[in-house]
Amino acid sequence: MTVDLYSLNMEKGLHYEAIVTTRNEDGTPNAAPMGVICKGPDQVVLRLHEGSHTIANVKREKSSM
């Protein structure tokens, strides 16, 4: 499913904040505030911090929804 980010009033080049959720290895939930940069109508950049639970979970799962 592709979402047109511009239809959500996001603008290219602007920085937004979001709460990103992942699951820890033991199945418990993990939530982290994260900066989001809109790169185009269907692209964003998230800055994951090395050493965080979030990046460990993303690297382990290697999938997205």
Side-chain angles (χ1 to χ4, degrees):
M1 177 177 151
T2 301
V3 174
D4 179 356
L5 299 172
Y6 297 158
S7 72
L8 301 174
N9 293 322
M10 292 182 78
E11 295 181 35
K12 183 176 181 178
L14 291 186
H15 180 264
Y16 299 89
E17 293 293 322
I19 301 295
V20 175
T21 60
T22 58
R23 289 221 179 266
N24 295 317
E25 196 166 15
D26 65 1
T28 58
N30 176 67
M34 194 161 297
V36 178
I37 300 171
C38 182
K39 290 298 216 178
D42 63 351
Q43 295 180 320
V44 295
V45 173
L46 301 176
R47 294 200 175 173
L48 302 173
H49 295 283
E50 199 62 53
S52 69
H53 291 288
T54 302
I55 198 167
N57 294 340
V58 169
K59 285 180 175 181
R60 185 185 68 257
E61 294 298 323
K62 296 182 180 142
S63 67
S64 64
M65 296 189 65

